[in-house]
């Protein structure tokens, strides 16, 4: 396989994208989750918790490693295993290939996840990456981010404005001196849907980061934005978790293991 993902019942095969191999607690889990170890060209690239009902990712977790690898192709992938895990096909594929080569129907694909048609006619909303290609250092890593399981409907002004500034300028500044940085970026489900009710429009976009110098955690922080305003707040990890607690109905949210919890 040139590229494939694994839809599992946990992140046991890709825990390396979480600080000390520890995932967030289950406060963010949707009713019908899918744990995806995003894999491309025989290597794991990042991890995604996917909400099957709302057809958006809950979060993607990765190691921050920005670089100047070649710009990837403009294809967008979908995940065959979300259609039927019993099938031997594990490749991250384009919709057209699933239909032509593997005889899946468009209806089967649409029933299991968001598809390109869901995003083509949206006004004022972009395909917003949770694990952005700009935070990856190679063409293979960048290409692996172009799957609709890593995408949410994000306000266009926010995506090209303050959130873009945070992803590229703020992250570059805050991570200076970090040997490695673990990142978890997510979306809070909203009260409205788009694409004829098929795809949830998140109310908030958020991100948390844990900086290590050598193998020792030094500091952590977070960022959060309402998905209809071109504003981003950079906050402590504790403040972000408290905000998420309120947004998730009072459930205590823990994003990183204790070592990265200094506020």
């Amino acid at each position: 396989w040139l590229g494939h993902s694994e839809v599992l019942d946990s992140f046991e095969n890709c825990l390396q994208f979480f600080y000390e191999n520890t995932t967030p607690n289950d406060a963010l889990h949707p009713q019908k989750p899918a744990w995806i170890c995003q894999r491309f060209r025989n290597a794991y690239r990042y991890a995604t918790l996917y909400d099957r009902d709302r057809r958006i990712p809950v979060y993607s977790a990765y190691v921050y490693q920005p670089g100047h690898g070649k710009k990837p192709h403009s294809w967008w992938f979908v995940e065959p295993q979300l259609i039927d895990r019993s099938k031997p096909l594990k490749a991250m594929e384009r919709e057209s290939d699933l239909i032509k080569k593997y005889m899946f129907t468009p209806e089967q694909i649409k029933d299991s996840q968001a598809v390109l048609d869901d995003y083509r006619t949206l006004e004022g909303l972009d395909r917003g990456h949770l694990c952005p290609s700009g935070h990856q250092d190679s063409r293979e890593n960048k290409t692996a981010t172009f799957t609709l399981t890593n995408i949410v409907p994000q306000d266009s002004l926010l995506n090209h404005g303050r959130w873009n500034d945070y992803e590229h300028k703020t992250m570059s500044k805050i991570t200076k001196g970090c040997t490695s940085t673990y990142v978890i970026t997510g979306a809070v489900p909203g009260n409205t849907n788009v694409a004829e009710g098929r795809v949830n429009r998140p109310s908030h976009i958020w991100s948390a980061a844990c900086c290590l110098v050598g193998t020792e955690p030094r500091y952590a922080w977070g960022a959060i934005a309402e998905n209809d305003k071109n504003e981003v707040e950079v906050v402590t990890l504790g403040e972000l978790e408290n905000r998420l607690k309120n947004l998730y109905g009072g459930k205590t949210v823990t994003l990183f293991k204790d070592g990265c919890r200094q506020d």
Side-chain angles (χ1 to χ4, degrees), residues 62 64 129-132 134-135 154 159 162-172 185:
Y62 59 96
Y64 176 71
H129 285 70
L130 295 190
C131 176
H135 285 187
Q154 186 173 14
N159 187 39
R162 297 298 186 184
W163 194 259
N164 183 70
D165 289 343
Y166 174 77
E167 285 183 336
H168 299 289
K169 297 177 182 178
T170 305
M171 280 291 290
S172 178
T185 299

Side-chain angles (χ1 to χ4, degrees), residues 17-210:
F17 300 110
F18 300 91
Y19 168 62
E20 290 206 346
N21 297 333
T22 303
T23 65
N25 69 339
D26 61 5
L28 307 180
H29 285 193
Q31 288 188 347
K32 292 184 179 180
W35 291 263
I36 305 175
C37 289
Q38 305 279 13
R39 186 178 173 97
F40 185 74
R41 290 188 176 168
N42 297 318
Y44 294 113
R45 309 295 173 171
Y46 60 101
T48 300
L49 180 63
Y50 191 75
D51 187 333
R52 294 173 181 269
D53 285 335
R54 296 184 176 97
R55 298 187 177 92
I56 57 171
V58 178
Y59 61 72
S60 287
Y62 59 96
V63 178
Y64 176 71
Q65 44 191 6
H68 300 288
K70 291 182 180 180
K71 185 178 179 180
H73 56 67
S74 58
W75 298 341
W76 285 90
F77 297 114
V78 292
E79 179 49 66
Q81 284 200 318
L82 287 176
I83 305 170
D84 188 348
R85 280 178 60 183
S86 68
K87 300 287 186 183
L89 176 66
K90 296 180 182 292
M92 205 188 276
E93 292 278 359
R94 289 179 293 176
E95 294 172 50
S96 57
D97 287 338
L98 286 181
I99 294 168
K100 293 176 183 177
K101 294 181 182 180
Y102 304 106
M103 304 305 171
F104 283 105
T105 67
E107 289 73 22
Q108 285 178 304
I109 302 171
K110 289 182 69 174
D111 282 346
S112 66
Q113 60 204 285
V115 297
L116 273 176
D117 278 348
D118 293 324
Y119 285 89
R120 283 198 174 107
T121 60
L122 296 185
E123 295 184 4
L125 294 170
D126 290 347
R127 289 170 289 206
H129 285 70
L130 295 190
C131 176
S133 64
H135 285 187
Q136 302 298 322
D137 64 351
S138 69
R139 188 172 185 179
E140 290 78 13
N141 282 352
K142 291 175 184 292
T143 299
T145 69
F146 285 85
T147 166
L148 294 177
T149 57
N150 181 45
I151 299 299
V152 299
Q154 186 173 14
D155 181 89
S156 297
L157 292 177
L158 176 64
N159 187 39
H160 293 285
R162 297 298 186 184
W163 194 259
N164 183 70
D165 289 343
Y166 174 77
E167 285 183 336
H168 299 289
K169 297 177 182 178
T170 305
M171 280 291 290
S172 178
K173 190 178 299 183
I174 297 179
T175 57
K176 282 185 178 178
C178 300
T179 305
S180 57
T181 303
Y182 290 88
V183 180
I184 303 170
T185 299
V188 180
N191 294 322
T192 60
N193 296 316
V194 296
E196 299 181 348
R198 284 180 36 79
V199 180
N200 184 263
R201 175 177 178 166
S203 64
H204 296 73
I205 310 296
W206 58 270
S207 187
C210 171

Side-chain angles (χ1 to χ4, degrees), residues 155 158 202-205 224-233 243:
D155 181 89
L158 176 64
S203 64
H204 296 73
I205 310 296
I224 189 166
E226 294 182 49
N227 197 25
D228 58 0
K229 296 179 182 177
N230 188 20
E231 299 174 4
V232 176
E233 293 180 71
R243 296 277 289 275

